[in-house]
Amino acid sequence: MSLREKLRVMVVDDMSTSRGLITQALDAMGIQNIATAADGKSALAALQQSPVHLVISDYNMPEMDGLHLLHYLRSAPATQKTGFLLITGRADPAIINKGKQLGMNNYLPKPFRIEESGRIVERASPTGRL
């Protein structure tokens, strides 16, 4: 079984269309074990029950944005080493710098191309390759 087949990923985005596009891109890369969540709070609850290798999260979500989710993941022993990829339509340097301070592995600006997302996801994965 290849790493792509073993990798567990969670996609967190409040927009169902965005979740679907990201899930399709992961599927096209051969990643099969994909969970989704519509917001940071439900993602955090699910991740506490069943950690994944990589979280791909939108930045701008109601109640808990992607950076708050990252903060909570890094604070818990079970999820502190989880790869984290932030997706944002606002690649504001303050957001990116805060993400780096919190331990973000990489970010992907919206809109993105599938080819570009594959390289970025690979760099954010726990091993740095797929």
Side-chain angles (χ1 to χ4, degrees), residues 3-4 7 26 29 31 54 56 85 105-106 116-130:
L3 181 58
R4 290 175 194 252
L7 190 66
L26 292 169
M29 293 171 57
I31 298 171
L54 176 64
I56 301 174
L85 175 65
N105 296 86
N106 213 335
E116 176 186 26
S117 66
R119 287 190 304 276
I120 291 172
V121 166
E122 192 167 287
R123 282 184 266 153
S125 73
T127 62
R129 62 180 173 73
L130 293 178

Side-chain angles (χ1 to χ4, degrees), residues 26-46:
L26 292 169
D27 189 51
M29 293 171 57
I31 298 171
Q32 301 168 356
N33 194 349
I34 306 166
T36 61
D39 59 70
K41 281 189 174 185
S42 62
L44 187 59

Side-chain angles (χ1 to χ4, degrees), residues 9-13 19 22-23 26 29 31 34-35 37 52 54-59 61 69 73 82-87 108 112 117 120-121 124:
V9 178
M10 176 173 278
V11 176
V12 187
D13 199 310
R19 283 193 315 272
I22 297 165
T23 300
L26 292 169
M29 293 171 57
I31 298 171
I34 306 166
V52 297
L54 176 64
V55 172
I56 301 174
S57 176
D58 186 30
Y59 166 70
M61 297 181 290
L69 174 59
L73 293 176
T82 300
F84 193 91
L85 175 65
L86 185 71
I87 298 179
L108 183 64
F112 60 87
S117 66
I120 291 172
V121 166

